[in-house]
Amino acid sequence: MLTGFNHLTLAVASLPRSVEFYQKTLGFKLSARWARGAYLTLGDLWLCLSLDDVRPEGMQLNYTHYAFTVAPEHFAAFGQWLRDQNVSLWKQDKSEGDSLYFLDPDGHQLEAHVGDLASRLAACRVSPYEGMEFFD
């Protein structure tokens, strides 16, 4: 039976470029690297970068993205840091809690988000999405 989220693997076109982005821009810790991949961590998250074909035409066609937690007191500074690093944004925030939607060097859609599921559900109870049901 499943017990939780294990790891995230992203295809990358340039391993050195992606390792540098995740390490230096986002603060991941490099755990291992080999000719076609790397393992990094951020808190309990295990990230695998795997050298592979990245097809930009297939990216950004939907809302699929990977969100990271940022503390409210660090949100503005993190956003400024991304702008200073010329990181591209892909969407404007319209949800509960501050969010910044940005792209990695291969066009993977990422998000820095203030809040958690409990704060999102509390906001949704006040203003639910169309047809929303709660199960608790």
Side-chain angles (χ1 to χ4, degrees), residues 12-46:
V12 299
S14 168
L15 192 59
R17 178 186 70 184
S18 292
V19 167
E20 180 177 5
F21 175 81
Y22 281 92
Q23 259 193 300
K24 296 188 175 159
T25 303
L26 300 186
F28 279 67
K29 179 182 174 232
L30 183 63
S31 296
R33 179 176 37 215
W34 61 98
R36 299 194 56 83
Y39 292 143
L40 299 98
T41 59
L42 182 68
D44 291 333
L45 173 63
W46 165 19

Short mmCIF file of all heavy atoms in Angstrom, two decimals, residues 12-46:
data_model
loop_
_atom_site.label_atom_id
_atom_site.label_comp_id
_atom_site.label_asym_id
_atom_site.label_seq_id
_atom_site.Cartn_x
_atom_site.Cartn_y
_atom_site.Cartn_z
N VAL A 12 15.69 16.74 -17.90
CA VAL A 12 16.41 17.99 -18.12
C VAL A 12 17.28 17.85 -19.36
O VAL A 12 17.79 16.78 -19.66
CB VAL A 12 17.25 18.39 -16.90
CG1 VAL A 12 16.35 18.60 -15.67
CG2 VAL A 12 18.34 17.38 -16.59
N ALA A 13 17.46 18.96 -20.06
CA ALA A 13 18.27 18.96 -21.28
C ALA A 13 19.75 19.17 -20.98
O ALA A 13 20.60 18.71 -21.74
CB ALA A 13 17.76 20.04 -22.23
N SER A 14 20.06 19.89 -19.91
CA SER A 14 21.44 20.16 -19.52
C SER A 14 21.58 19.91 -18.03
O SER A 14 21.06 20.69 -17.21
CB SER A 14 21.83 21.60 -19.85
OG SER A 14 23.05 21.94 -19.23
N LEU A 15 22.26 18.85 -17.67
CA LEU A 15 22.40 18.51 -16.26
C LEU A 15 23.13 19.59 -15.47
O LEU A 15 22.64 20.01 -14.42
CB LEU A 15 23.09 17.15 -16.13
CG LEU A 15 23.04 16.53 -14.74
CD1 LEU A 15 21.62 16.31 -14.26
CD2 LEU A 15 23.81 15.22 -14.74
N PRO A 16 24.28 20.11 -15.94
CA PRO A 16 24.96 21.15 -15.16
C PRO A 16 24.08 22.39 -14.94
O PRO A 16 24.04 22.94 -13.84
CB PRO A 16 26.20 21.50 -15.99
CG PRO A 16 26.45 20.28 -16.82
CD PRO A 16 25.07 19.71 -17.10
N ARG A 17 23.38 22.82 -15.96
CA ARG A 17 22.51 24.00 -15.85
C ARG A 17 21.40 23.76 -14.83
O ARG A 17 21.11 24.62 -14.00
CB ARG A 17 21.92 24.33 -17.22
CG ARG A 17 20.95 25.51 -17.21
CD ARG A 17 20.29 25.69 -18.56
NE ARG A 17 19.36 24.58 -18.79
CZ ARG A 17 18.67 24.40 -19.90
NH1 ARG A 17 18.81 25.24 -20.91
NH2 ARG A 17 17.85 23.38 -20.03
N SER A 18 20.77 22.59 -14.87
CA SER A 18 19.67 22.30 -13.96
C SER A 18 20.15 22.11 -12.52
O SER A 18 19.52 22.58 -11.59
CB SER A 18 18.88 21.08 -14.43
OG SER A 18 18.21 21.40 -15.64
N VAL A 19 21.27 21.43 -12.34
CA VAL A 19 21.82 21.26 -11.00
C VAL A 19 22.13 22.63 -10.41
O VAL A 19 21.80 22.92 -9.25
CB VAL A 19 23.08 20.36 -11.00
CG1 VAL A 19 23.83 20.46 -9.68
CG2 VAL A 19 22.69 18.90 -11.29
N GLU A 20 22.73 23.50 -11.20
CA GLU A 20 23.04 24.85 -10.71
C GLU A 20 21.77 25.61 -10.34
O GLU A 20 21.71 26.27 -9.29
CB GLU A 20 23.82 25.64 -11.77
CG GLU A 20 24.16 27.03 -11.30
CD GLU A 20 25.00 27.81 -12.29
OE1 GLU A 20 25.27 27.31 -13.41
OE2 GLU A 20 25.39 28.93 -11.95
N PHE A 21 20.72 25.52 -11.16
CA PHE A 21 19.47 26.21 -10.86
C PHE A 21 18.86 25.71 -9.56
O PHE A 21 18.50 26.50 -8.68
CB PHE A 21 18.47 26.01 -12.02
CG PHE A 21 17.11 26.59 -11.75
CD1 PHE A 21 16.88 27.95 -11.92
CD2 PHE A 21 16.06 25.79 -11.31
CE1 PHE A 21 15.62 28.48 -11.66
CE2 PHE A 21 14.81 26.32 -11.04
CZ PHE A 21 14.59 27.67 -11.23
N TYR A 22 18.73 24.39 -9.42
CA TYR A 22 18.08 23.85 -8.23
C TYR A 22 18.94 24.07 -6.97
O TYR A 22 18.40 24.31 -5.90
CB TYR A 22 17.71 22.38 -8.43
CG TYR A 22 16.45 22.25 -9.24
CD1 TYR A 22 16.49 22.12 -10.62
CD2 TYR A 22 15.20 22.33 -8.64
CE1 TYR A 22 15.33 22.05 -11.37
CE2 TYR A 22 14.03 22.26 -9.38
CZ TYR A 22 14.10 22.13 -10.75
OH TYR A 22 12.95 22.08 -11.49
N GLN A 23 20.26 24.03 -7.12
CA GLN A 23 21.14 24.28 -5.98
C GLN A 23 21.22 25.76 -5.64
O GLN A 23 20.91 26.16 -4.52
CB GLN A 23 22.57 23.80 -6.31
CG GLN A 23 22.96 22.50 -5.74
CD GLN A 23 24.45 22.29 -5.85
OE1 GLN A 23 25.00 22.28 -6.95
NE2 GLN A 23 25.09 22.10 -4.73
N LYS A 24 21.65 26.55 -6.59
CA LYS A 24 21.97 27.96 -6.29
C LYS A 24 20.76 28.88 -6.29
O LYS A 24 20.73 29.84 -5.53
CB LYS A 24 23.02 28.45 -7.26
CG LYS A 24 24.32 27.71 -7.09
CD LYS A 24 25.45 28.28 -7.87
CE LYS A 24 26.71 27.51 -7.50
NZ LYS A 24 27.73 27.61 -8.47
N THR A 25 19.77 28.60 -7.11
CA THR A 25 18.60 29.48 -7.16
C THR A 25 17.55 29.06 -6.14
O THR A 25 16.95 29.91 -5.48
CB THR A 25 17.99 29.50 -8.57
OG1 THR A 25 19.02 29.91 -9.49
CG2 THR A 25 16.84 30.47 -8.66
N LEU A 26 17.31 27.75 -6.01
CA LEU A 26 16.24 27.29 -5.13
C LEU A 26 16.72 26.72 -3.79
O LEU A 26 15.89 26.47 -2.92
CB LEU A 26 15.37 26.25 -5.85
CG LEU A 26 14.69 26.74 -7.13
CD1 LEU A 26 13.75 25.67 -7.67
CD2 LEU A 26 13.95 28.05 -6.91
N GLY A 27 18.01 26.49 -3.63
CA GLY A 27 18.54 26.06 -2.34
C GLY A 27 18.51 24.57 -2.06
O GLY A 27 18.62 24.14 -0.92
N PHE A 28 18.37 23.74 -3.09
CA PHE A 28 18.44 22.30 -2.91
C PHE A 28 19.87 21.89 -2.55
O PHE A 28 20.83 22.58 -2.91
CB PHE A 28 18.05 21.57 -4.21
CG PHE A 28 16.57 21.46 -4.46
CD1 PHE A 28 15.80 22.58 -4.72
CD2 PHE A 28 15.95 20.22 -4.45
CE1 PHE A 28 14.45 22.47 -4.97
CE2 PHE A 28 14.59 20.10 -4.71
CZ PHE A 28 13.84 21.23 -4.96
N LYS A 29 19.99 20.74 -1.87
CA LYS A 29 21.30 20.19 -1.54
C LYS A 29 21.60 19.04 -2.50
O LYS A 29 20.79 18.12 -2.65
CB LYS A 29 21.29 19.67 -0.10
CG LYS A 29 22.61 19.07 0.32
CD LYS A 29 22.53 18.53 1.74
CE LYS A 29 23.81 17.80 2.04
NZ LYS A 29 23.60 16.46 2.54
N LEU A 30 22.77 19.09 -3.14
CA LEU A 30 23.19 18.03 -4.04
C LEU A 30 23.65 16.83 -3.23
O LEU A 30 24.53 16.96 -2.38
CB LEU A 30 24.30 18.54 -4.96
CG LEU A 30 24.82 17.57 -6.02
CD1 LEU A 30 23.70 17.21 -7.02
CD2 LEU A 30 26.00 18.19 -6.75
N SER A 31 23.05 15.67 -3.49
CA SER A 31 23.41 14.44 -2.78
C SER A 31 24.29 13.52 -3.62
O SER A 31 25.17 12.85 -3.10
CB SER A 31 22.16 13.67 -2.35
OG SER A 31 21.41 14.44 -1.44
N ALA A 32 24.05 13.47 -4.94
CA ALA A 32 24.83 12.62 -5.84
C ALA A 32 24.64 13.13 -7.27
O ALA A 32 23.63 13.73 -7.59
CB ALA A 32 24.37 11.16 -5.74
N ARG A 33 25.66 12.87 -8.09
CA ARG A 33 25.57 13.24 -9.51
C ARG A 33 26.30 12.17 -10.30
O ARG A 33 27.27 11.60 -9.84
CB ARG A 33 26.22 14.61 -9.72
CG ARG A 33 26.21 15.07 -11.17
CD ARG A 33 26.76 16.46 -11.39
NE ARG A 33 27.88 16.77 -10.55
CZ ARG A 33 28.12 17.97 -10.03
NH1 ARG A 33 27.34 18.98 -10.27
NH2 ARG A 33 29.18 18.16 -9.26
N TRP A 34 25.82 11.87 -11.50
CA TRP A 34 26.46 10.92 -12.41
C TRP A 34 26.28 11.46 -13.81
O TRP A 34 25.74 12.55 -14.01
CB TRP A 34 25.91 9.51 -12.22
CG TRP A 34 24.44 9.34 -12.49
CD1 TRP A 34 23.85 8.88 -13.64
CD2 TRP A 34 23.36 9.65 -11.59
NE1 TRP A 34 22.48 8.88 -13.52
CE2 TRP A 34 22.16 9.35 -12.27
CE3 TRP A 34 23.29 10.16 -10.30
CZ2 TRP A 34 20.92 9.54 -11.68
CZ3 TRP A 34 22.06 10.34 -9.71
CH2 TRP A 34 20.88 10.02 -10.41
N ALA A 35 26.77 10.73 -14.81
CA ALA A 35 26.80 11.24 -16.18
C ALA A 35 25.43 11.70 -16.69
O ALA A 35 25.34 12.69 -17.41
CB ALA A 35 27.38 10.18 -17.12
N ARG A 36 24.36 11.01 -16.31
CA ARG A 36 23.04 11.33 -16.86
C ARG A 36 22.01 11.72 -15.82
O ARG A 36 20.82 11.69 -16.08
CB ARG A 36 22.52 10.15 -17.69
CG ARG A 36 23.44 9.84 -18.88
CD ARG A 36 22.82 8.93 -19.88
NE ARG A 36 21.57 9.39 -20.40
CZ ARG A 36 21.41 10.27 -21.40
NH1 ARG A 36 22.45 10.79 -21.97
NH2 ARG A 36 20.20 10.60 -21.81
N GLY A 37 22.47 12.07 -14.60
CA GLY A 37 21.49 12.43 -13.60
C GLY A 37 22.09 12.99 -12.32
O GLY A 37 23.31 13.05 -12.17
N ALA A 38 21.20 13.38 -11.43
CA ALA A 38 21.61 13.89 -10.12
C ALA A 38 20.47 13.71 -9.14
O ALA A 38 19.29 13.73 -9.52
CB ALA A 38 21.99 15.36 -10.22
N TYR A 39 20.83 13.50 -7.87
CA TYR A 39 19.87 13.47 -6.78
C TYR A 39 20.11 14.70 -5.92
O TYR A 39 21.25 14.97 -5.52
CB TYR A 39 20.04 12.22 -5.92
CG TYR A 39 19.68 10.92 -6.59
CD1 TYR A 39 20.41 9.78 -6.33
CD2 TYR A 39 18.61 10.84 -7.46
CE1 TYR A 39 20.09 8.57 -6.93
CE2 TYR A 39 18.28 9.63 -8.07
CZ TYR A 39 19.02 8.50 -7.80
OH TYR A 39 18.69 7.31 -8.39
N LEU A 40 19.02 15.40 -5.62
CA LEU A 40 19.07 16.57 -4.75
C LEU A 40 17.97 16.44 -3.71
O LEU A 40 17.00 15.70 -3.91
CB LEU A 40 18.87 17.86 -5.55
CG LEU A 40 19.90 18.13 -6.63
CD1 LEU A 40 19.38 17.70 -7.99
CD2 LEU A 40 20.26 19.59 -6.66
N THR A 41 18.11 17.17 -2.61
CA THR A 41 17.07 17.17 -1.59
C THR A 41 16.74 18.60 -1.18
O THR A 41 17.57 19.50 -1.26
CB THR A 41 17.51 16.38 -0.34
OG1 THR A 41 18.71 16.95 0.19
CG2 THR A 41 17.72 14.91 -0.65
N LEU A 42 15.51 18.75 -0.73
CA LEU A 42 15.03 19.99 -0.14
C LEU A 42 14.09 19.57 0.99
O LEU A 42 13.00 19.06 0.71
CB LEU A 42 14.29 20.85 -1.17
CG LEU A 42 13.79 22.20 -0.67
CD1 LEU A 42 14.95 23.14 -0.37
CD2 LEU A 42 12.86 22.84 -1.68
N GLY A 43 14.52 19.70 2.23
CA GLY A 43 13.75 19.14 3.32
C GLY A 43 13.62 17.64 3.11
O GLY A 43 14.62 16.96 2.89
N ASP A 44 12.40 17.13 3.12
CA ASP A 44 12.16 15.70 2.90
C ASP A 44 11.97 15.34 1.42
O ASP A 44 11.78 14.17 1.10
CB ASP A 44 10.92 15.25 3.67
CG ASP A 44 11.15 15.27 5.17
OD1 ASP A 44 12.30 15.12 5.60
OD2 ASP A 44 10.16 15.44 5.90
N LEU A 45 12.01 16.33 0.54
CA LEU A 45 11.80 16.07 -0.89
C LEU A 45 13.07 15.52 -1.52
O LEU A 45 14.15 16.10 -1.41
CB LEU A 45 11.39 17.35 -1.62
CG LEU A 45 11.30 17.24 -3.15
CD1 LEU A 45 10.22 16.24 -3.57
CD2 LEU A 45 11.06 18.59 -3.77
N TRP A 46 12.94 14.40 -2.22
CA TRP A 46 14.02 13.81 -3.01
C TRP A 46 13.70 14.13 -4.46
O TRP A 46 12.65 13.74 -4.98
CB TRP A 46 14.08 12.32 -2.74
CG TRP A 46 14.87 11.48 -3.69
CD1 TRP A 46 15.85 11.88 -4.56
CD2 TRP A 46 14.76 10.07 -3.86
NE1 TRP A 46 16.35 10.81 -5.24
CE2 TRP A 46 15.70 9.68 -4.84
CE3 TRP A 46 13.95 9.10 -3.28
CZ2 TRP A 46 15.84 8.37 -5.24
CZ3 TRP A 46 14.10 7.79 -3.69
CH2 TRP A 46 15.05 7.43 -4.66
#
